[in-house]
Amino acid sequence: MIEPSTIIFITGILGLIVGSFLNVVIYRLPIMMEREWRAQCAEGLNLSPSEAEKVLNLSQPRSHCPHCGHQITVLENIPLLSYIWQRGQCTACQKAISLRYPLIEAASALLAMITAWHFGLTWPLVGALALTWALLAASMIDFDHQLLPDNITIPFLWLGLLCNLFGLYTDIESSVIGAMAGYLSLFTVYWLFKLFTGKEGMGYGDFKLLALLGAWLGWQTLPVIILISSLVGTVVGITLILWRSHDKNVPIPFGPYLAAAGWLSLLWGENMTQAYFLWIYP
């Protein structure tokens, strides 16, 4: 029998490795999508393709310094430790490496360890880790680009339904209803807001993300997820506007708040849902 502390430790190491890969996904996936859109537009308008661009995907080219182009060696790519050893600088040009990279690696490891502590060495842990890392990547991309990639939301929506065919997180009926209700609830809010204000309050990626969470966790968790994400998003948005650090006409991404509320519900959804319904119906 493997000790829980050992499982948590191993999961933390795995989280660091995955976090290093997530940095690549967060940076490159939006660029890959933009290139694909440009190619589709050129094809649809019968335009000649633009000049050939360098190959860019999740495996090519090798990671390199954005300042001098120095290719990152294996020893320079050890999650977290390399950043500390190099004192946050490129070994070739000594320019600063963004603190964001080790922070994402550390966040990936910490979230993975908490997830392992909660689920233990079980099959639900495997899916929960995958969902945790997907939510982290999607949140950061949305934070940077106000974009929730279909490449993440759609496959993980189907994966949630697949997991619940075996009842890993909820029953399949709650899962299917959760996916539908998650999408349609925000879709309805979107059109009502647009009807009364003429503005778009959120993007379609938010609908898909909530549908994803509904597919994994069931429709019962959706009120709590929406409530928590809305409250936190409202507080953060008002704070940014009051401190004049954010233009009120510039949209604030909602995906990170949905993802955070969804991750909390993944671990403690049943308790949160019971507390919510006791609050509504004391």
Side-chain angles (χ1 to χ4, degrees), residues 72-103:
I72 308 300
T73 65
V74 174
L75 292 179
E76 294 170 340
N77 203 30
I78 301 173
L80 209 55
L81 295 180
S82 292
Y83 183 89
I84 297 173
W85 178 258
Q86 296 167 211
R87 298 181 180 179
Q89 296 178 335
C90 171
T91 55
C93 66
Q94 280 72 54
K95 292 289 182 66
I97 300 171
S98 174
L99 183 61
R100 170 174 172 157
Y101 297 118
L103 286 179

CSV table of all heavy atoms in Angstrom, one decimal, residues 72-103:
chain,number,residue,atom,x,y,z
A,72,ILE,N,16.9,26.5,-25.3
A,72,ILE,CA,16.9,26.0,-23.9
A,72,ILE,C,17.4,24.6,-23.8
A,72,ILE,O,16.8,23.7,-24.5
A,72,ILE,CB,15.5,26.1,-23.2
A,72,ILE,CG1,15.0,27.5,-23.4
A,72,ILE,CG2,15.6,25.7,-21.8
A,72,ILE,CD1,15.8,28.6,-22.8
A,73,THR,N,18.5,24.3,-23.1
A,73,THR,CA,19.0,23.0,-23.0
A,73,THR,C,18.2,22.2,-21.9
A,73,THR,O,17.3,22.7,-21.2
A,73,THR,CB,20.5,23.0,-22.5
A,73,THR,OG1,20.5,23.5,-21.2
A,73,THR,CG2,21.3,23.8,-23.5
A,74,VAL,N,18.4,20.9,-21.9
A,74,VAL,CA,17.7,20.0,-20.9
A,74,VAL,C,17.9,20.5,-19.5
A,74,VAL,O,17.0,20.6,-18.7
A,74,VAL,CB,18.2,18.6,-21.1
A,74,VAL,CG1,17.5,17.7,-20.0
A,74,VAL,CG2,17.8,18.0,-22.4
A,75,LEU,N,19.2,20.8,-19.1
A,75,LEU,CA,19.5,21.3,-17.8
A,75,LEU,C,18.9,22.6,-17.5
A,75,LEU,O,18.6,23.0,-16.3
A,75,LEU,CB,21.0,21.3,-17.6
A,75,LEU,CG,21.7,20.0,-17.6
A,75,LEU,CD1,23.2,20.2,-17.4
A,75,LEU,CD2,21.2,19.1,-16.5
A,76,GLU,N,18.6,23.4,-18.5
A,76,GLU,CA,18.0,24.8,-18.3
A,76,GLU,C,16.5,24.7,-18.3
A,76,GLU,O,15.8,25.7,-18.1
A,76,GLU,CB,18.5,25.7,-19.4
A,76,GLU,CG,19.9,26.0,-19.4
A,76,GLU,CD,20.4,26.8,-20.7
A,76,GLU,OE1,19.7,26.7,-21.7
A,76,GLU,OE2,21.5,27.4,-20.6
A,77,ASN,N,16.0,23.5,-18.5
A,77,ASN,CA,14.5,23.3,-18.6
A,77,ASN,C,13.9,22.5,-17.5
A,77,ASN,O,12.8,21.9,-17.6
A,77,ASN,CB,14.2,22.7,-20.0
A,77,ASN,CG,12.8,23.0,-20.4
A,77,ASN,OD1,12.2,24.0,-20.1
A,77,ASN,ND2,12.2,22.1,-21.2
A,78,ILE,N,14.7,22.3,-16.4
A,78,ILE,CA,14.1,21.6,-15.3
A,78,ILE,C,13.1,22.5,-14.5
A,78,ILE,O,13.5,23.6,-14.1
A,78,ILE,CB,15.3,21.2,-14.3
A,78,ILE,CG1,16.3,20.4,-15.0
A,78,ILE,CG2,14.7,20.5,-13.1
A,78,ILE,CD1,17.5,20.1,-14.2
A,79,PRO,N,11.9,22.1,-14.4
A,79,PRO,CA,10.9,22.9,-13.8
A,79,PRO,C,11.3,23.5,-12.5
A,79,PRO,O,11.8,22.8,-11.6
A,79,PRO,CB,9.7,22.0,-13.7
A,79,PRO,CG,9.9,20.9,-14.7
A,79,PRO,CD,11.4,20.7,-14.8
A,80,LEU,N,11.1,24.8,-12.3
A,80,LEU,CA,11.3,25.5,-11.1
A,80,LEU,C,12.8,25.6,-10.7
A,80,LEU,O,13.3,26.7,-10.5
A,80,LEU,CB,10.5,24.9,-9.9
A,80,LEU,CG,10.0,25.9,-8.8
A,80,LEU,CD1,9.3,27.0,-9.4
A,80,LEU,CD2,9.2,25.1,-7.8
A,81,LEU,N,13.5,24.5,-10.7
A,81,LEU,CA,14.9,24.4,-10.2
A,81,LEU,C,15.8,25.2,-11.2
A,81,LEU,O,16.7,25.9,-10.7
A,81,LEU,CB,15.4,23.0,-10.1
A,81,LEU,CG,14.7,22.1,-9.0
A,81,LEU,CD1,15.3,20.7,-9.0
A,81,LEU,CD2,14.8,22.8,-7.7
A,82,SER,N,15.6,25.1,-12.5
A,82,SER,CA,16.4,25.8,-13.4
A,82,SER,C,16.3,27.3,-13.2
A,82,SER,O,17.3,28.1,-13.3
A,82,SER,CB,16.1,25.4,-14.9
A,82,SER,OG,16.5,24.1,-15.1
A,83,TYR,N,15.1,27.8,-13.0
A,83,TYR,CA,14.8,29.2,-12.8
A,83,TYR,C,15.6,29.7,-11.6
A,83,TYR,O,16.2,30.8,-11.6
A,83,TYR,CB,13.3,29.5,-12.7
A,83,TYR,CG,13.0,31.0,-12.6
A,83,TYR,CD1,12.8,31.7,-13.7
A,83,TYR,CD2,12.9,31.6,-11.3
A,83,TYR,CE1,12.4,33.1,-13.6
A,83,TYR,CE2,12.6,32.9,-11.2
A,83,TYR,CZ,12.4,33.7,-12.4
A,83,TYR,OH,12.1,35.0,-12.3
A,84,ILE,N,15.5,28.9,-10.5
A,84,ILE,CA,16.2,29.3,-9.3
A,84,ILE,C,17.7,29.3,-9.5
A,84,ILE,O,18.5,30.2,-9.1
A,84,ILE,CB,15.8,28.4,-8.1
A,84,ILE,CG1,14.3,28.5,-7.8
A,84,ILE,CG2,16.6,28.7,-6.9
A,84,ILE,CD1,13.8,27.5,-6.8
A,85,TRP,N,18.2,28.2,-10.1
A,85,TRP,CA,19.7,28.1,-10.3
A,85,TRP,C,20.2,29.2,-11.2
A,85,TRP,O,21.3,29.7,-11.0
A,85,TRP,CB,20.0,26.7,-11.0
A,85,TRP,CG,21.4,26.5,-11.3
A,85,TRP,CD1,22.0,26.6,-12.5
A,85,TRP,CD2,22.4,26.1,-10.3
A,85,TRP,NE1,23.4,26.3,-12.4
A,85,TRP,CE2,23.6,26.0,-11.1
A,85,TRP,CE3,22.4,25.9,-9.0
A,85,TRP,CZ2,24.9,25.7,-10.5
A,85,TRP,CZ3,23.6,25.6,-8.4
A,85,TRP,CH2,24.8,25.5,-9.1
A,86,GLN,N,19.4,29.6,-12.3
A,86,GLN,CA,19.9,30.6,-13.2
A,86,GLN,C,19.5,32.0,-12.7
A,86,GLN,O,19.8,33.0,-13.4
A,86,GLN,CB,19.2,30.4,-14.6
A,86,GLN,CG,19.6,29.2,-15.2
A,86,GLN,CD,18.8,28.8,-16.4
A,86,GLN,OE1,18.5,27.7,-16.7
A,86,GLN,NE2,18.2,29.8,-17.1
A,87,ARG,N,19.0,32.1,-11.5
A,87,ARG,CA,18.6,33.4,-10.9
A,87,ARG,C,17.7,34.2,-11.8
A,87,ARG,O,17.8,35.4,-11.9
A,87,ARG,CB,19.8,34.2,-10.5
A,87,ARG,CG,20.7,33.5,-9.5
A,87,ARG,CD,21.9,34.4,-9.2
A,87,ARG,NE,22.8,33.7,-8.2
A,87,ARG,CZ,23.9,34.2,-7.7
A,87,ARG,NH1,24.4,35.4,-8.2
A,87,ARG,NH2,24.6,33.5,-6.8
A,88,GLY,N,16.8,33.5,-12.5
A,88,GLY,CA,15.8,34.1,-13.3
A,88,GLY,C,16.3,34.8,-14.5
A,88,GLY,O,15.7,35.7,-15.1
A,89,GLN,N,17.5,34.3,-15.0
A,89,GLN,CA,18.1,35.0,-16.2
A,89,GLN,C,18.5,33.9,-17.2
A,89,GLN,O,18.7,32.8,-16.9
A,89,GLN,CB,19.4,35.7,-15.8
A,89,GLN,CG,19.2,36.9,-14.8
A,89,GLN,CD,20.5,37.5,-14.4
A,89,GLN,OE1,21.5,36.9,-14.4
A,89,GLN,NE2,20.4,38.8,-14.0
A,90,CYS,N,18.5,34.4,-18.5
A,90,CYS,CA,18.9,33.6,-19.6
A,90,CYS,C,20.5,33.4,-19.4
A,90,CYS,O,21.2,34.3,-19.2
A,90,CYS,CB,18.6,34.2,-20.9
A,90,CYS,SG,19.4,33.4,-22.4
A,91,THR,N,20.9,32.1,-19.6
A,91,THR,CA,22.4,31.9,-19.5
A,91,THR,C,23.2,32.5,-20.6
A,91,THR,O,24.4,32.7,-20.5
A,91,THR,CB,22.6,30.4,-19.4
A,91,THR,OG1,22.1,29.8,-20.6
A,91,THR,CG2,22.0,29.7,-18.2
A,92,ALA,N,22.6,32.8,-21.7
A,92,ALA,CA,23.3,33.4,-22.9
A,92,ALA,C,23.4,34.9,-22.8
A,92,ALA,O,24.4,35.5,-23.0
A,92,ALA,CB,22.6,32.9,-24.2
A,93,CYS,N,22.2,35.5,-22.7
A,93,CYS,CA,22.2,37.0,-22.7
A,93,CYS,C,21.9,37.7,-21.4
A,93,CYS,O,22.0,38.9,-21.3
A,93,CYS,CB,21.1,37.5,-23.8
A,93,CYS,SG,19.4,37.1,-23.2
A,94,GLN,N,21.7,36.9,-20.4
A,94,GLN,CA,21.5,37.4,-19.0
A,94,GLN,C,20.2,38.3,-18.9
A,94,GLN,O,20.1,39.0,-17.9
A,94,GLN,CB,22.7,38.2,-18.5
A,94,GLN,CG,23.8,37.3,-18.0
A,94,GLN,CD,24.5,36.6,-19.1
A,94,GLN,OE1,25.0,37.2,-20.0
A,94,GLN,NE2,24.6,35.3,-19.0
A,95,LYS,N,19.3,38.3,-19.9
A,95,LYS,CA,18.1,39.0,-19.8
A,95,LYS,C,17.1,38.2,-18.8
A,95,LYS,O,17.2,37.0,-18.7
A,95,LYS,CB,17.4,39.1,-21.2
A,95,LYS,CG,18.2,40.1,-22.1
A,95,LYS,CD,18.0,41.5,-21.7
A,95,LYS,CE,18.8,42.5,-22.6
A,95,LYS,NZ,18.1,42.5,-24.0
A,96,ALA,N,16.3,39.0,-18.2
A,96,ALA,CA,15.4,38.4,-17.2
A,96,ALA,C,14.4,37.4,-17.9
A,96,ALA,O,13.8,37.7,-18.9
A,96,ALA,CB,14.6,39.5,-16.4
A,97,ILE,N,14.2,36.3,-17.2
A,97,ILE,CA,13.1,35.4,-17.6
A,97,ILE,C,11.9,35.7,-16.8
A,97,ILE,O,11.9,35.9,-15.6
A,97,ILE,CB,13.5,33.9,-17.3
A,97,ILE,CG1,14.8,33.6,-18.1
A,97,ILE,CG2,12.4,32.9,-17.7
A,97,ILE,CD1,15.4,32.2,-17.7
A,98,SER,N,10.7,35.7,-17.5
A,98,SER,CA,9.5,36.1,-16.8
A,98,SER,C,9.2,35.2,-15.6
A,98,SER,O,9.3,34.0,-15.7
A,98,SER,CB,8.3,36.0,-17.8
A,98,SER,OG,7.1,36.2,-17.1
A,99,LEU,N,8.8,35.8,-14.5
A,99,LEU,CA,8.5,35.1,-13.3
A,99,LEU,C,7.3,34.2,-13.5
A,99,LEU,O,7.0,33.3,-12.7
A,99,LEU,CB,8.3,36.1,-12.1
A,99,LEU,CG,8.0,35.5,-10.7
A,99,LEU,CD1,9.2,34.6,-10.2
A,99,LEU,CD2,7.7,36.6,-9.7
A,100,ARG,N,6.5,34.5,-14.5
A,100,ARG,CA,5.3,33.8,-14.7
A,100,ARG,C,5.5,32.3,-15.0
A,100,ARG,O,4.7,31.5,-14.6
A,100,ARG,CB,4.6,34.4,-16.0
A,100,ARG,CG,3.4,33.6,-16.5
A,100,ARG,CD,2.8,34.5,-17.6
A,100,ARG,NE,1.8,33.7,-18.3
A,100,ARG,CZ,0.8,34.3,-18.9
A,100,ARG,NH1,0.7,35.6,-19.0
A,100,ARG,NH2,-0.1,33.5,-19.6
A,101,TYR,N,6.6,32.0,-15.6
A,101,TYR,CA,6.9,30.6,-16.0
A,101,TYR,C,7.0,29.7,-14.7
A,101,TYR,O,6.3,28.7,-14.6
A,101,TYR,CB,8.1,30.4,-16.9
A,101,TYR,CG,7.9,31.1,-18.2
A,101,TYR,CD1,8.8,32.2,-18.6
A,101,TYR,CD2,6.9,30.7,-19.1
A,101,TYR,CE1,8.6,32.8,-19.8
A,101,TYR,CE2,6.8,31.3,-20.3
A,101,TYR,CZ,7.6,32.4,-20.7
A,101,TYR,OH,7.4,33.0,-21.9
A,102,PRO,N,7.9,30.0,-13.8
A,102,PRO,CA,7.9,29.2,-12.6
A,102,PRO,C,6.7,29.3,-11.7
A,102,PRO,O,6.3,28.3,-11.0
A,102,PRO,CB,9.1,29.8,-11.8
A,102,PRO,CG,9.3,31.2,-12.3
A,102,PRO,CD,8.9,31.1,-13.8
A,103,LEU,N,6.0,30.4,-11.8
A,103,LEU,CA,4.7,30.5,-11.0
A,103,LEU,C,3.7,29.5,-11.5
A,103,LEU,O,2.9,28.9,-10.8
A,103,LEU,CB,4.2,31.9,-11.0
A,103,LEU,CG,4.9,33.0,-10.2
A,103,LEU,CD1,4.3,34.3,-10.4
A,103,LEU,CD2,5.0,32.6,-8.7
